[in-house]
């Protein structure tokens, strides 16, 4: 692998020398992976390979820390300083497209025909972004825990029902062996809340906004299904099944591995690290609370900024990056789900019989994208606060009503967000 | 204070030191925790947090976290940027703010009190409120560069420095201090025919040691801890300061040992600056014996 | 003071101008822009045109009303009671979500009290803002005097001639030099509800009698915990300012007091305190401003939770302006904050005026 990399760099250097006559046009690109060494290495490799593969374009990458990436992009957009190629979190994309930061992605859609649905970003009928990977969430457990507690192992075809799930938590709680039966991950504030927890609400039959019109949350976020969800959610914390909003992020990282939590709701990006420390780790599908088991979809994707003067160059790079070998490299490097079955077959974790292959199926079977609307950015914040408040004992119906009012007011103030 | 009993005196001294030391522990323990943790592997670090072991150099100690921190992020670049930005801002700020304060404290001119009141009112404006308008402003400002006029200040040092040079608090600190200086000094110099600039630079500023130290420390802390502003005006890694760099360490499954190592590293320059200033600070207090 | 010798319009303006221009350009001008934003419906990012909306943003934040709830009665007119024997009242949402009361639409309960057999409920257009306002004022009222007082005590303590006193000076100042973000991160470990340092320390000091408290996770303790940490962090800075003030007091005054046979308390009352007048004003103003600007601790430690018990005005302003892309709403909160602090400062100025 290293040898190959050196060769590629060498080839790149040669092309550079050769290409000085027909100068490459510079394209700037922003990426959210600063501080993540593996991710940076792979993306830099792709950029180097691309620059070496042709003589028209030269991509220059600037990496940002993920935590503040969106703030950086919004600020740069306000100041009129966007790069040519941007990476964008799937659910945020409609907001940026609607605001005029992004332009439709000029690539042939046949290229992405066999990509997982969560990796394609459509807004207003047009493709704006494509992801090299998707992410999925599963219920982490130990096989030994399931055996000791005498629990049926749920499958994709036959997941746990809501009752079975609660019975499992009861059994874990009654065993007295765990600090908490279930770790939903309350320490991960921010996008984790809507990403990881809104699928529970959807499985109950509610949603963050009414997807038929995207003009209101009334009835879906405070209807009977949502209130049932809210009461269940509150009971997790009130009855001591789960650590609440004050959970230490370090406990979130180590609690399940240390055996202090029986079950953990976690993403596939944590799977490789957890597998190293927990040898009988199993990934269980989401429980079905009545409307089918659901998990979130869509992760980081690439798009072209509206101000780019060379969209064709930007698109050329994105298309180049969509090769199976890069999809597989990202997956091997950071545990993400490769966007295509053919790339999955090339990876060590997602190939048939691989330890994480189950996530590929989860992503295909259960995944539901977050509401595709520019208003999602605000609705997600409101939803996050509502869930934190309910977990802390706020009145369920009042809290959800207030969330609905805030989301509706926001939609109105934005003239319906262009739907 | 009649007769001093040596035994009694010794006891009182011991009590004094005991009180001072207990308070010292209260102020020190989180920092000791930070430094000790920076040498421990993550798992041990987290297990130690609940007990006294958190403050002790025990277990598996190494510089591994430091090594990995340097691999994860260009730490020296961040520290260098912060020092450049902070150093220049502090120096410019001390000059311009003391100059203005001199005028407010010693000179009489039309509009003086109004201007001072307006400046003091700006103390109240939290930076977060004006960040976006300010961003829109600096993104369009001109600058005379090597190749003529450039437009826009984004991705530079100057955008991190110039807006922060003058502030109400620093001016206010100087004004309060200058008002306490004996005005006869200034008037005597004036009678002798000194210019205002000479009075400022030769008479007043040599007496301003303590306030210079206080203002410098305050400004240093504000500048070194900048986060929101550089985040929105700097997109290039080569201009990022330390607090933006801290974000590199918060990935999913944060490596807390590395966080502690980075925090320790970026705290060192501040401690050095404070120690250096403290000496100047004390020396200058000794030299201002004229006051009272 | 208005001596002819010090009158000079040209030099006066000349010296003040560079500083004033910088402040005018980089603080005052943007603030006026923020003020203008608060009168519009501007979003942080949006393709929609900006509209002038007058005071609507202010009304959305400040709207308050009191409603009266009558207990539920059975068919016979008797008050219905629940299992615990308490009267039942209709839910507030039956009023605030009813078309019969359009004036209360979207308002929420802030707090209530019993009035005879009825219940009076204060409803607000923006309960979170109201809570943020109350929390911020509480924070200022508790932290400003406590911190200033503690800082003075510390300053007096380290203003003695002792071998090694400089080391203590440095140590007490240490928390100040560490960024508040860093400090907040460290204290999150200390306040941890399960096996945090503070809980374990208290448990061992009381031989296990102390039941662990989830300091940041409990609405009753969260704000107090943040206050304690904030004082811990900043007290050293104000100690240094007091110290500078203390050292400007001439030693001859103390010698005179000693000759007169003044007690320690008398010395403090008649020598030290009068000599600290300007310092005291400075500290009072600086602490008040810093307290009103409370933000970083909240952002790192609690994000305003649990149950809004640590919401503050600046946090809300940022959360709305950036997080929820409602820059006009965020600006409105800032303007309100500005007006509050301005009022407080004018009162402080009046109270500390030279008589």
């Amino acid at each position: 692998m290293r040898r190959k990399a050196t060769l590629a760099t060498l080839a790149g250097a040669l092309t550079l020398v050769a290409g000085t006559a027909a100068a490459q046009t510079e394209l700037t690109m922003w990426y959210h992976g600063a501080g993540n060494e593996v991710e940076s290495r792979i993306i830099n490799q792709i950029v180097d390979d691309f620059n070496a593969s042709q003589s028209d374009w030269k991509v220059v990458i600037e990496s940002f820390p993920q935590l503040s990436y969106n703030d950086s992009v919004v600020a740069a957009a306000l100041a009129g300083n966007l790069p040519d190629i941007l990476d964008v979190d799937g659910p945020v994309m409609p907001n940026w497209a609607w605001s005029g930061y992004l332009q439709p992605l000029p690539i042939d859609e046949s290229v992405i025909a066999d990509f997982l649905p969560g990796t394609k970003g459509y807004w207003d009928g047009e493709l704006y972004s494509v992801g090299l990977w998707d992410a999925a969430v599963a219920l982490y457990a130990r096989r030994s825990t399931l055996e000791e507690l005498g629990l049926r192992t749920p499958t994709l075809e036959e997941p746990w029902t809501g009752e079975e799930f609660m019975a499992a938590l009861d059994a874990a709680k009654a065993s007295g062996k765990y600090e908490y039966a279930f770790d939903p991950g309350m320490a991960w504030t921010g996008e984790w809340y809507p990403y990881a927890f809104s699928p529970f609400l959807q499985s109950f039959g509610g949603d963050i906004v009414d997807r038929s019109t995207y003009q209101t949350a009334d009835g879906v976020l405070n209807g009977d299904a949502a209130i049932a969800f809210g009461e269940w959610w509150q009971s997790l914390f009130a009855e001591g099944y789960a650590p609440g909003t004050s959970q230490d992020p370090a406990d979130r990282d180590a609690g399940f591995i240390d055996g202090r939590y029986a079950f953990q709701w976690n993403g596939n990006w944590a799977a490789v690290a957890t597998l190293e420390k927990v040898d009988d780790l199993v990934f269980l599908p989401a429980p079905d609370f009545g409307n089918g088991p659901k998990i979130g979809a869509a992760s980081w994707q690439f798009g072209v900024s509206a101000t780019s003067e060379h969209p064709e160059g930007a698109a050329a790079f994105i298309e180049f990056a969509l090769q199976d070998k890069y999809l597989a490299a990202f997956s091997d490097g950071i545990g993400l789900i490769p966007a295509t079955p053919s790339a999955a077959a090339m990876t060590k974790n997602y190939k048939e019989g691989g330890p994480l292959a189950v996530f590929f199926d989860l992503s295909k079977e259960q995944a539901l994208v977050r509401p595709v609307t520019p208003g999602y950015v605000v609705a997600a914040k409101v939803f996050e606060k509502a869930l934190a408040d309910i977990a802390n004992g706020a009145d369920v119906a009042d809290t959800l009503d207030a969330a609905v009012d805030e989301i509706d007011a926001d939609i109105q103030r934005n003239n319906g967000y262009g739907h | 204070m009649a007769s001093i009993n040596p035994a009694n005196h010794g006891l009182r001294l011991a009590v004094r030191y005991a009180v001072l030391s207990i308070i010292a522990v209260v102020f020190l323990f989180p920092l000791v925790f930070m430094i000790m943790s920076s040498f421990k592997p993550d798992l041990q670090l987290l297990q130690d947090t609940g007990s006294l072991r958190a403050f002790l150099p025990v277990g598996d100690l190494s510089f591994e976290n430091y090594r990995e921190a340097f691999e994860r992020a260009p730490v020296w670049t961040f520290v260098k940027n912060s020092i450049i930005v902070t150093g220049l801002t502090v120096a410019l700020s001390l000059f311009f703010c003391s100059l203005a304060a001199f005028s407010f404290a010693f000179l009489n001119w039309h509009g003086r009190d109004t201007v001072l009141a307006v400046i003091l009112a700006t103390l109240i404006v939290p930076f977060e409120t004006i960040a976006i308008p300010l961003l829109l402003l600096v993104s369009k400002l001109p600058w005379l560069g090597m190749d003529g006029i450039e437009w826009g200040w984004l991705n530079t040092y100057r955008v991190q420095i110039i807006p922060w040079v003058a502030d109400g608090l620093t001016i206010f600190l100087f004004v309060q201090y200058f008002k306490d200086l004996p005005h006869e000094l200034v008037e005597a110099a004036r009678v002798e025919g000194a210019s205002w600039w000479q009075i400022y630079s030769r008479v007043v500023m040599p007496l301003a040691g303590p306030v210079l130290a206080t203002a410098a420390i305050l400004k240093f802390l504000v500048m070194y801890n900048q986060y929101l502003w550089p985040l929105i005006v700097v997109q290039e890694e080569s201009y990022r300061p330390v607090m933006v760099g801290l974000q590199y360490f918060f990935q999913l499954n944060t490596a807390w040992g590395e966080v502690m190592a980075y925090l320790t590293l970026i705290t060192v320059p501040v401690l050095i600056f404070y120690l250096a200033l403290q000496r100047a600070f004390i020396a200058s207090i000794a030299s201002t014996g004229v006051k009272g | 003071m208005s001596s002819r010798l010090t009158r000079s319009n040209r030099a006066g303006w000349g010296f003040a101008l560079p500083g004033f221009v910088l402040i005018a350009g980089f603080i005052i001008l943007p603030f006026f822009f923020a003020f203008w934003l608060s009168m519009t419906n501007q979003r942080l990012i949006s393709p929609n045109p900006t509209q002038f909306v007058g005071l609507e943003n202010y009304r959305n934040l400040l709207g308050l009303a009191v409603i009266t709830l009558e207990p539920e009665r059975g068919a016979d007119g008797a008050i219905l009671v629940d299992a615990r024997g308490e009267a039942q009242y209709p839910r507030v949402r039956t009023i605030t979500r009813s078309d019969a009361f359009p004036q209360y639409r979207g308002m929420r309960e802030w707090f209530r009290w019993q009035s005879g057999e009825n219940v009076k409920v204060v409803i607000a257009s923006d309960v979170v803002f109201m809570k943020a306002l109350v929390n911020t004022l509480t924070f200022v009222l508790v932290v400003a005097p406590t911190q200033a007082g503690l800082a003075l005590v510390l300053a007096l303590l380290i203003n003695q001639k002792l071998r090694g006193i400089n080391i203590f000076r440095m140590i007490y100042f240490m928390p100040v030099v560490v960024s508040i973000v860093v400090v907040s991160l460290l204290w999150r470990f200390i306040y941890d509800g399960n096996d945090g340092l503070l809980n374990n320390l208290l448990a061992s000091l009381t031989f296990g009698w102390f039941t662990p408290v989830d300091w940041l996770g409990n609405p009753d303790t969260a704000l107090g915990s943040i206050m304690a940490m904030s004082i811990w962090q900043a007290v050293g800075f104000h100690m240094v300012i007091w110290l500078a003030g203390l050292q400007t007091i001439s030693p001859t005054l103390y010698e005179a007091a000693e000759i007169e046979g003044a007690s320690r308390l008398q010395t403090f009352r008649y020598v030290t305190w009068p000599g600290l007048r300007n310092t005291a004003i400075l500290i009072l103003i600086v602490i008040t401003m810093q307290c009103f600007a409370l933000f970083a601790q909240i952002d790192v430690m609690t994000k305003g939770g649990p149950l809004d018990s640590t919401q503050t005005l600046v946090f809300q302003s940022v959360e709305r302006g950036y997080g929820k892309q409602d820059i006009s709403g965020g600006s409105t909160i800032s303007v309100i904050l500005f007006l509050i602090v301005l009022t407080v400062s004018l009162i402080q100025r009046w109270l500390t005026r030279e008589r």
Side-chain angles (χ1 to χ4, degrees):
Chain A
M1 178 96 178
R2 174 166 302 160
R3 193 197 185 102
K4 234 177 171 170
T6 325
L7 281 177
T9 326
L10 192 67
L14 287 175
T15 343
L16 263 182
V17 174
T20 37
Q24 289 175 305
T25 307
E26 201 168 278
L27 299 170
T28 46
M29 168 179 172
W30 288 359
Y31 188 71
H32 74 271
N36 188 324
E37 295 151 58
V38 185
E39 209 170 335
S40 299
R41 186 148 31 89
I42 301 169
I43 191 77
N44 285 331
Q45 181 70 57
I46 299 178
V47 169
D48 289 346
D49 290 357
F50 175 73
N51 291 344
S53 72
Q54 40 71 49
S55 54
D56 295 334
W57 314 106
K58 178 168 179 278
V59 172
V60 178
I61 190 169
E62 190 67 64
S63 283
F64 295 74
Q66 178 169 349
L67 217 54
S68 50
Y69 178 76
N70 288 352
D71 297 336
S72 298
V73 171
V74 170
L78 285 174
N81 197 31
L82 285 177
D84 295 288
I85 308 163
L86 273 173
D87 89 322
V88 49
D89 198 7
V92 174
M93 183 277 292
N95 187 275
W96 292 4
W98 171 74
S99 308
Y101 294 7
L102 299 174
Q103 53 178 301
L105 188 56
I107 66 170
D108 187 353
E109 294 191 22
S110 64
V111 177
I112 53 166
D114 57 347
F115 274 50
L116 285 170
T119 61
K120 304 181 209 177
Y122 285 99
W123 162 247
D124 214 10
E126 296 201 72
L127 181 74
Y128 275 86
S129 57
V130 182
L132 275 60
W133 62 79
D134 204 347
V137 173
L139 191 64
Y140 285 32
R142 288 175 163 80
R143 199 174 298 285
S144 53
T145 306
L146 294 174
E147 279 162 15
E148 273 167 44
L149 302 177
L151 300 168
R152 172 181 80 85
T153 304
T155 59
L156 262 184
E157 296 73 39
E158 213 185 324
W160 276 343
T161 62
E163 292 83 51
E164 272 183 294
F165 176 61
M166 289 316 287
L169 298 196
D170 277 326
K173 196 176 161 196
S175 76
K177 286 178 60 182
Y178 304 98
E179 222 166 86
Y180 288 104
F182 177 49
D183 170 25
M186 301 300 278
W188 285 354
T189 51
E191 189 54 33
W192 173 251
Y193 276 50
Y195 170 65
F197 307 145
S198 69
F200 291 138
L201 168 64
Q202 286 144 3
S203 185
F204 267 93
D207 209 335
I208 296 179
V209 294
D210 184 346
R211 295 191 197 214
S212 61
T213 60
Y214 284 112
Q215 295 305 300
T216 179
D218 205 23
V220 293
L221 186 52
N222 60 351
D224 293 339
I227 289 176
F229 157 79
E231 268 152 14
W232 166 75
W233 181 250
Q234 192 158 55
S235 74
L236 286 179
F237 306 93
E239 288 162 33
Y241 292 111
T245 51
S246 64
Q247 183 190 34
D248 193 307
D251 286 339
R252 168 64 175 166
D253 292 346
F256 175 77
I257 293 173
D258 293 348
R260 287 183 281 134
Y261 304 143
F263 299 99
Q264 187 184 39
W265 191 235
N266 206 342
N268 60 297
W269 54 84
V272 178
T274 312
L275 266 173
E276 278 169 20
K277 293 176 181 130
V278 180
D279 47 15
D280 64 338
L281 181 63
V282 283
F283 306 105
L284 310 179
D288 178 357
F289 292 98
N291 274 49
K294 299 268 191 294
I295 56 169
S299 183
W300 290 91
Q301 302 169 353
F302 290 114
V304 182
S305 87
T307 51
S308 172
E309 284 166 19
H310 307 286
E312 69 283 7
F317 170 77
I318 294 173
E319 219 178 305
F320 182 85
L322 295 177
Q323 296 177 56
D324 277 349
K325 62 174 176 178
Y326 298 130
L327 274 51
F330 264 111
S331 170
D332 282 343
I334 43 182
L336 296 158
I337 305 170
T340 65
S342 45
M346 292 162 65
T347 66
K348 55 178 191 271
N349 291 320
Y350 295 91
K351 63 176 182 240
E352 239 181 273
L356 304 186
V358 56
F359 280 106
F360 193 85
D361 303 328
L362 281 174
S363 203
K364 222 167 53 191
E365 303 294 326
Q366 300 189 344
L368 177 65
V369 290
R370 284 154 276 182
V372 186
T373 168
Y376 173 79
V377 176
V378 177
K381 283 255 166 200
V382 176
F383 181 75
E384 179 189 356
K385 178 165 162 24
L387 253 59
D389 285 351
I390 291 174
N392 284 317
D395 182 89
V396 173
D398 286 350
T399 307
L400 294 175
D401 280 346
V404 166
D405 286 343
E406 200 179 338
I407 292 172
D408 285 6
D410 179 67
I411 294 172
Q412 237 170 36
R413 273 203 302 268
N414 284 284
N415 306 338
Y417 278 118
H419 283 283
Chain B
M1 301 281 148
S3 61
I4 293 172
N5 177 341
N8 202 353
H9 180 73
L11 186 70
R12 275 167 75 176
L13 209 59
V15 170
R16 278 185 183 183
Y17 276 113
V19 171
L20 287 171
S21 305
I22 290 171
I23 300 175
V25 168
V26 172
F27 281 115
L28 267 185
F29 76 107
L31 305 177
V32 175
F33 167 58
M34 170 180 93
I35 295 167
M36 291 308 158
S37 301
S38 72
F39 296 109
K40 297 175 182 176
D42 275 2
L43 212 59
Q44 189 203 334
L45 184 166
L46 297 177
Q47 281 161 355
D48 283 357
T49 52
S51 68
L52 281 179
R53 291 172 60 86
F55 306 109
L56 301 174
V58 291
D60 182 11
L61 303 179
S62 72
F63 282 95
E64 191 64 6
N65 291 325
Y66 288 87
R67 200 184 57 73
E68 282 174 7
F70 280 103
E71 265 176 30
R72 186 185 294 279
V75 179
W76 290 131
T77 308
F78 300 152
V79 172
K80 183 195 79 189
N81 290 338
S82 277
I83 288 177
I84 291 174
V85 167
T86 306
L88 283 173
T89 315
V90 169
L92 291 171
S93 170
L94 292 181
F95 175 63
F96 284 112
C97 293
S98 64
L99 203 61
F102 175 81
S103 165
F104 291 122
F106 295 115
L107 292 162
N108 273 314
W109 40 282
H110 285 297
R112 183 188 69 176
D113 293 346
T114 318
V115 172
L116 183 60
V118 169
I119 287 181
L120 291 185
T122 62
L123 271 175
I124 307 172
V125 179
F127 174 72
E128 288 82 1
T129 28
I130 56 165
I132 294 295
L134 193 55
L135 165 71
L136 298 175
L137 177 71
V138 298
S139 67
K140 294 182 179 60
L141 283 178
W143 185 260
L144 195 60
M146 297 288 203
D147 344 293
I149 292 178
E150 305 163 11
W151 294 91
W153 285 14
L154 300 186
N155 290 311
T156 56
Y157 286 127
R158 66 175 174 272
V159 76
Q160 302 183 63
I161 294 172
I162 295 174
W164 296 87
V165 163
D167 71 290
L169 182 58
T170 311
I171 292 178
F172 184 50
L173 276 172
F174 278 107
V175 169
Q176 289 295 94
Y177 184 85
F178 288 164
K179 277 189 177 165
D180 277 352
L181 289 176
H183 275 239
E184 303 79 52
L185 281 177
V186 174
E187 289 176 17
R190 195 67 185 150
V191 171
E192 283 166 26
S195 74
W196 287 117
W197 172 254
Q198 285 169 329
I199 296 175
Y200 164 79
S201 58
R202 305 263 172 80
V203 180
V204 171
M205 288 319 279
L207 296 175
V211 70
L212 278 172
T214 312
I217 292 172
L218 183 62
K219 197 76 190 181
F220 186 98
L221 295 176
V222 169
M223 293 312 296
Y224 196 75
N225 294 330
Q226 284 285 356
Y227 169 70
L228 179 62
W229 183 241
L231 180 77
I232 61 178
V233 294
V234 166
Q235 283 92 33
E236 287 168 23
E237 190 173 64
S238 51
Y239 289 106
R240 280 179 202 152
V242 290
M243 278 299 146
V244 175
L246 178 58
Q247 303 263 315
Y248 280 52
F249 293 86
F250 294 104
Q251 304 287 333
L252 288 160
N253 296 330
T254 302
W256 287 99
E258 281 181 56
V259 172
M260 297 294 179
Y262 183 73
L263 295 181
T264 308
L265 280 171
I266 63 172
T267 306
V268 169
V270 199
L271 288 179
I272 293 173
F273 180 77
Y274 175 62
L275 288 179
L277 257 192
Q278 205 197 354
R279 192 167 284 180
F281 183 77
I282 287 158
S284 60
I285 287 166
S287 71
T288 47
V290 269
K291 297 199 49 225
Chain C
M1 219 181 62
S2 66
S3 131
R4 247 179 329 113
L5 285 170
T6 57
R7 173 161 289 283
S8 169
N9 276 324
R10 228 176 43 185
W13 271 106
F15 279 42
L17 203 61
F20 182 65
V21 166
L22 287 169
I23 287 181
F26 294 115
I27 303 177
I28 299 174
L29 188 69
F31 182 73
F32 274 109
F33 188 66
F35 182 71
W36 177 77
L37 283 180
S38 77
M39 313 279 252
T40 69
N41 68 348
Q42 177 72 46
R43 314 289 298 176
L44 188 57
I45 55 178
S46 162
N48 294 329
T50 307
Q51 283 162 348
F52 184 79
V53 297
L55 295 176
E56 192 189 308
N57 290 316
Y58 292 87
R59 275 195 297 274
N60 287 343
L61 287 172
L62 299 169
L64 278 178
V66 182
I67 54 173
T68 306
L69 298 179
E70 291 173 10
E72 310 246 24
R73 291 170 196 275
D76 56 348
I79 295 173
L80 292 175
V81 293
D82 65 4
R84 284 172 299 172
E86 282 168 15
Q88 295 289 290
Y89 296 93
R91 300 195 58 134
V92 173
R93 76 190 293 225
T94 59
I95 292 172
T96 55
R97 303 190 78 74
S98 152
D99 291 332
F101 302 97
Q103 72 273 34
Y104 301 139
R105 186 98 210 158
M107 292 174 94
R108 275 174 75 202
E109 173 170 348
W110 182 14
F111 58 90
R112 62 167 70 194
W113 71 92
Q114 194 78 32
S115 154
E117 56 181 36
N118 293 338
V119 158
K120 299 271 189 191
V121 181
V122 174
I123 53 176
S125 311
D126 198 322
V127 176
V128 177
F129 171 79
M130 289 299 165
K131 289 180 176 170
L133 182 62
V134 170
N135 289 336
T136 308
L137 293 174
T138 313
F139 188 86
V140 173
L141 286 175
V142 174
V143 172
T146 317
Q147 187 167 308
L150 275 178
L152 179 57
V153 170
L154 287 176
L156 291 169
L157 209 59
I158 59 166
N159 191 31
Q160 43 186 346
K161 289 202 172 57
L162 272 183
R163 191 182 290 273
I165 196 74
N166 275 337
I167 295 177
F168 290 106
R169 262 181 214 172
M170 195 191 85
I171 291 175
Y172 295 0
F173 193 74
M174 254 349 186
V176 182
V177 305
V178 184
S179 146
I180 185 69
V181 172
V182 175
V183 165
S184 305
L185 281 170
L186 294 173
W187 278 74
R188 246 188 359 195
F189 284 101
I190 294 167
Y191 281 141
D192 192 287
N194 288 320
D195 52 357
L197 279 164
L198 186 59
N199 278 333
N200 288 348
L201 186 72
L202 291 174
S204 61
L205 285 179
T206 56
F207 303 101
W209 273 80
F210 180 80
T211 21
V213 173
D214 188 356
W215 296 100
L216 295 174
N218 183 333
D220 298 330
T221 54
L223 188 61
S225 303
I226 290 182
M227 285 178 180
M229 186 202 75
S230 306
I231 294 174
W232 174 88
Q233 198 260 347
V235 74
F237 177 68
H238 298 105
M239 176 194 79
V240 170
I241 303 186
W242 281 122
L243 193 63
L246 282 174
Q247 296 185 329
T248 59
I249 301 171
S250 162
T252 52
L253 288 176
Y254 286 105
E255 283 158 23
E258 203 174 311
I259 293 165
E260 301 271 322
S263 72
R264 278 192 176 194
L265 207 65
Q266 284 171 322
T267 311
F268 180 79
R269 170 74 185 79
Y270 294 105
V271 177
T272 315
W273 186 243
L276 290 174
R277 207 194 118 78
N278 275 336
T279 314
I281 295 174
L282 174 75
I283 288 194
L284 186 68
I285 293 179
V286 171
I287 291 192
T288 311
M289 309 269 179
Q290 288 177 338
C291 286
F292 271 110
L294 173 63
F295 170 71
Q297 295 95 308
I298 306 295
D299 192 40
V300 176
M301 298 178 92
T302 60
K303 303 259 177 219
L307 297 182
D308 299 324
S309 59
T310 59
Q311 292 286 0
T312 66
L313 291 178
V314 177
F315 182 79
Q316 266 303 306
S317 166
V318 172
E319 173 71 6
R320 285 175 207 219
Y322 302 84
K324 292 180 181 159
Q325 306 185 345
D326 180 8
I327 191 75
S328 53
S331 300
T332 309
I333 297 182
S334 325
V335 173
I336 293 174
L337 176 67
F338 178 82
L339 294 175
I340 293 172
V341 186
L342 190 65
T343 313
V344 171
S345 309
L346 290 177
I347 294 171
Q348 281 177 341
R349 227 185 129 123
W350 183 75
L351 288 176
T352 57
R353 70 194 182 281
E354 307 215 10
R355 271 167 278 217

